[in-house]
Amino acid sequence: MSNGHERRASTVRYEPDETPPAGVTLGCGLQLVVLGITSIILIPTIVIRAAGGTDAYLSWAVFGAVAVSGVCTVLQAVRLGRVGAGYVLFMGPAGAYIGVCVSALTEGGPALLATLVVASSLVPIVISMRLALFRRLLTPTIVGTVNMLVPATVLPVVFSRLADAPDDTALATPLTAVATVLVISGISLKAGTTLRLWAPLVGVVAGSVFGGSLGLYDLDLVVRAPWIGLPQGGWPGIGLDLGPAFVELLPAFVFVALIGAIQTITGAVVIQRVSWRRQRAVDYRAVEGAVTADGIGKLLSGLTAIVPTQTIAVSVPTIELTGVAARRVGIAAGGVLMAMAFLPKVIALILAIPSPVIVAYLTVVLAMSFVRGMTEIVQGGIDHRKGMISGVAFWVGVGCQNDLLFPGLLSELAGGLLKNGITAGGIVAILMTLFLEATAPRRSRIEAELDLSVLPKIREFLGAFASRSGWGAKMVDRLDAAAEETLLTLIGQDENGEKRERRRLLLTVHKEAGGAVLEFVAASGEENLENRIGLLTETPDDVLMEREVSLRLLRHIASSVRHQQFHDSDIVTVHVDVPETSHGSR
C-alpha cells in the first residue's frame, strides 16, 4: 500500500541516529555553513554599522557570532540531558533583533546590549521548563504559519541584493543566479540519491565559478585576509547599570525573545517531520531541549556582548534536499564554525561568493521551507478555523513586512517591532488561537490518581458530561471505551519498566463540533501512543500483544489521538465523534 511512510523513506537517507560516511557528514555540514554564514556575519555588521560602532567592536562581534553559533549548533545536535534537541538545528544571529540591538547600542553601547541580552535569555529558558503550559500554542496551524512566514519575510530582502549589482555586471548577475538555480534544481530533480546529497554545494560552487568568469567573485577580499587571526577588539564587558535605558528597552527584548522561542519551537517540530523515514509523532522533550539550548545561546551571546543567536531556518530545507538528517552533520557544521572563527581567510572565501549565487541558493531552500509550512497546516485535514487563522496571519505578516499595513503607526509601535512579518503574523495567529480557546465550550474536569481503581469515577464523570450535552447511550459507550483504553495504556507505561511514584491524572473534556475532546494529563512515560497506534497498521492481527489490542481498540473508537510528551508530563488528547444515532434518546 502506498502511503506517507513510503514517501518519507524515499527521501531520508540517514536518520538522526545513523552514521553517514565522513565525507557525506562533512559535506552536508559545509552546506549548512555556506547557507548560514552570510547572516551570521552580515547581521552583526548591519547592527554595529547602523549604531555607529567601532571597527574593533565589529571585529569582536563577528568573531563572537561565528564562535557562539558553532557552539550552539553542536549543543543542539548532541542533546546533553535536557539541553539540545538531538537534531540538526543550525544556530545564528537573529534578524528580528536588528532593530532593538541598534537601539541598545545607541543608548548604552555594548555593555547595555550585553545586559539586555542576558536578561532576555531567561525567557526561552523559563518557557522550556514549563513548555507543557504553552501547549495550546503548539498547534500545527501556528507552527505552519510561522514556517511559511520565514521565507515570505526573508526572500524580499534576499531579492533586493540583486538590485545592488554594479551597472557593468547587470547581465552577469541574472545569468549567475539562473545558472545556480538550474544546477541545484536539475541535480535535485533528476540525479540519483548519491549525487542529490551534494546538489546545494555543487550549485554554489558552479555558480561561483560561473560568476567568477564574469568578474563577480571578489578574489581581492580573500587575498587580503590572513590565514589565522584573532579579532582586533577585545571583550567589551557587561554592564550592571539597570537605569532608564535598560527599563525602556527590556520589554522589547523580552518580546523578541518570546517570538524567537516560538520560532525555535517551530523549527524543532518541523525538523522532526523531515528527519525520519517513517512519519512519527513529535517528541516535545526534544522541543524543550531545543528551547533550552536557544536560551543558553542567548546567554552566551549576552556574556560575549554580541547580537543574540537563535535557530536559523536553513536546516529543514537542506535536509529535504540532501536526505541527510544525521545529528553528526550538526556537530560537523558547529565544528566548522568554531574553527572558522579563527580563520579569517576561510570566512573571506565564503563572503566573496557572489550575491546572485547566495540569492539563488536561498530561493531554492526557502521555497521548500514555505511548502513545508503549508504541509504542516493541512496535514490531518483543514477546516474553516485553520484556514482563517493561517490565511489572516500570513497576509498580515506579509503586509507588515512590506510596509503595506499602517506603516506610520507600526514604525512607532513597540519600537517598530511589528514591522517584522514573522513577529506580526505570529502574534495574529497566537491571538486568534487564544480567542478560540477563550470562547470554546466550558471544560469539565476531574482529578484522581492514575490507577485503574478510578475508572468507575471517570465513567460517572463522563456519563454526566454526555447527559448535559444531550448525547445518547452510544456516545456514552464510546467515551467510556476511549477513556478506559487510554487509561490502561498510560498505566501500562509504568508497569512496562521500573515502578514510578504514584502519578496524578487530570482529565478534562469539552464539546467540539461533531463530538468531544478528552485530554489526559499525567507524568511522562517513555513511549508515544501516536507512534504505537501508527505501527498497528503494519502489525499482523495474529501477533498482537494484549497492550496492542488495547491500542487498536482506541484507534477504532477515536477519530484522532495526539500524544505530547514533555519531561514533566504526558498529555494525550483524544477526539471522539458522536454516532449519528446518538442524539436524543438514551
Side-chain angles (χ1 to χ4, degrees):
M1 181 174 73
S2 175
N3 55 31
H5 299 328
E6 293 177 1
R7 288 195 295 270
R8 176 62 59 202
S10 67
T11 59
V12 177
R13 289 200 64 192
Y14 296 99
E15 294 186 334
D17 296 328
E18 296 176 344
T19 305
V24 171
T25 299
L26 182 59
C28 292
L30 283 171
Q31 291 184 66
L32 281 174
V33 171
V34 169
L35 182 59
I37 193 65
T38 302
S39 62
I40 290 177
I41 295 174
L42 287 184
I43 288 176
T45 302
I46 292 169
V47 168
I48 293 167
R49 292 298 187 206
T54 64
D55 289 338
Y57 175 53
L58 175 59
S59 175
W60 168 264
V62 170
F63 167 81
V66 176
V68 171
S69 298
V71 171
C72 295
T73 300
V74 172
L75 192 60
Q76 288 285 20
V78 297
R79 191 173 182 178
L80 300 173
R82 297 183 63 160
V83 179
Y87 290 87
V88 182
L89 285 175
F90 196 80
M91 303 284 285
Y97 274 94
I98 291 177
V100 292
C101 287
V102 169
S103 299
L105 289 174
T106 303
E107 293 290 332
L112 177 61
L113 173 66
T115 308
L116 287 164
V117 174
V118 168
S120 64
S121 70
L122 297 176
V123 174
I125 292 175
V126 170
I127 289 176
S128 70
M129 295 170 62
R130 291 291 181 267
L131 191 61
L133 299 178
F134 296 86
R135 64 187 183 276
R136 307 292 182 197
L137 304 182
L138 302 178
T139 66
T141 303
I142 293 178
V143 169
T145 301
V146 172
N147 213 47
M148 288 169 60
L149 281 167
V150 171
T153 55
V154 172
L155 280 177
V157 179
V158 170
F159 291 152
S160 68
R161 295 188 62 181
L162 294 176
D164 297 335
D167 293 337
D168 57 350
T169 62
L171 185 59
T173 296
L175 287 177
T176 301
V178 170
T180 305
V181 170
L182 288 177
V183 171
I184 297 176
S185 302
I187 295 176
S188 299
L189 292 173
K190 301 301 293 184
T193 54
T194 301
L195 185 56
R196 182 169 59 87
L197 296 174
W198 307 98
L201 190 57
V202 171
V204 169
V205 173
S208 298
V209 171
F210 184 83
S213 68
L214 300 177
L216 295 182
Y217 195 89
D218 189 0
L219 280 175
D220 289 340
L221 178 64
V222 181
V223 172
R224 291 194 306 268
W227 280 104
I228 300 176
L230 292 172
Q232 299 174 17
W235 178 53
I238 184 170
L240 298 176
D241 181 10
L242 307 182
F246 174 85
V247 175
E248 179 184 344
L249 290 171
L250 182 60
F253 271 81
V254 168
F255 186 75
V256 179
L258 175 62
I259 295 298
I262 293 174
Q263 287 183 249
T264 298
I265 291 169
T266 300
V269 169
V270 177
I271 199 70
Q272 296 184 57
R273 302 284 193 200
V274 302
S275 294
W276 302 96
R277 297 186 187 96
R278 178 182 289 116
Q279 195 71 276
R280 57 196 292 171
V282 174
D283 181 0
Y284 283 96
R285 291 168 295 187
V287 177
E288 287 176 306
V291 179
T292 303
D294 175 30
I296 291 176
K298 287 180 170 58
L299 178 61
L300 292 176
S301 300
L303 294 175
T304 51
I306 61 173
V307 178
T309 62
Q310 69 178 47
T311 304
I312 298 179
V314 299
S315 300
V316 170
T318 302
I319 288 174
E320 291 198 306
L321 277 174
T322 64
V324 181
R327 59 175 57 93
R328 289 171 179 260
V329 171
I331 297 172
V336 169
L337 282 175
M338 286 186 279
M340 283 179 58
F342 301 93
L343 301 172
K345 191 175 287 291
V346 176
I347 293 178
L349 188 69
I350 295 175
L351 288 179
I353 293 174
S355 292
V357 176
I358 297 296
V359 170
Y361 191 1
L362 288 171
T363 299
V364 173
V365 296
L366 289 177
M368 296 188 70
S369 178
F370 181 85
V371 174
R372 170 53 53 185
M374 290 194 302
T375 303
E376 189 75 21
I377 293 172
V378 302
Q379 68 174 1
I382 186 168
D383 56 19
H384 68 283
R385 295 183 183 88
K386 283 185 178 181
M388 177 68 74
I389 293 173
S390 61
V392 171
F394 176 79
W395 286 111
V396 167
V398 171
C400 291
Q401 179 70 29
N402 294 281
D403 291 330
L404 300 176
L405 291 178
F406 315 111
L409 175 62
L410 293 181
S411 63
E412 299 295 331
L413 189 63
L417 193 62
L418 295 182
K419 293 181 68 176
N420 180 277
I422 298 173
T423 303
I427 290 174
V428 170
I430 290 171
L431 290 178
M432 294 180 74
T433 301
L434 292 178
F435 172 76
L436 276 182
E437 288 289 331
T439 56
R442 186 176 64 86
R443 286 178 166 82
S444 300
R445 54 187 289 161
I446 183 174
E447 187 173 347
E449 286 189 357
L450 184 60
D451 188 84
L452 198 57
S453 63
V454 304
L455 189 57
K457 186 178 179 181
I458 290 177
R459 283 176 172 160
E460 181 181 351
F461 165 73
L462 291 176
F465 167 76
S467 178
R468 291 194 304 271
S469 302
W471 291 329
K474 288 187 176 181
M475 182 59 174
V476 173
D477 291 341
R478 280 195 176 188
L479 292 173
D480 285 348
E484 181 176 355
E485 304 310 331
T486 305
L487 186 64
L488 286 170
T489 307
L490 286 172
I491 293 172
Q493 290 186 162
D494 281 348
E495 297 172 349
N496 200 34
E498 191 175 317
K499 189 70 177 178
R500 294 184 177 89
E501 296 179 5
R502 276 201 179 276
R503 302 191 294 170
R504 299 292 293 177
L505 171 71
L506 172 64
L507 169 61
T508 62
V509 59
H510 67 275
K511 292 181 67 174
E512 197 169 87
V517 178
L518 289 76
E519 185 177 78
F520 299 78
V521 182
S524 65
E526 296 299 324
E527 198 171 16
N528 192 290
L529 298 185
E530 283 184 74
N531 291 335
R532 296 290 299 170
I533 291 173
L535 287 173
L536 290 179
T537 59
E538 303 172 9
T539 305
D541 289 340
D542 58 352
V543 297
L544 288 177
M545 296 182 295
E546 180 180 353
R547 186 170 168 216
E548 289 176 329
V549 171
S550 178
L551 288 173
R552 185 179 288 280
L553 288 172
L554 181 58
R555 182 166 67 92
H556 287 293
I557 294 165
S559 58
S560 70
V561 179
R562 187 186 186 202
H563 188 182
Q564 295 172 291
Q565 291 175 290
F566 303 89
H567 281 105
D568 57 353
S569 61
D570 262 295
I571 301 173
V572 182
T573 306
V574 182
H575 291 250
V576 180
D577 291 336
V578 180
E580 292 184 4
T581 59
S582 180
H583 295 284
S585 64
R586 289 195 55 180

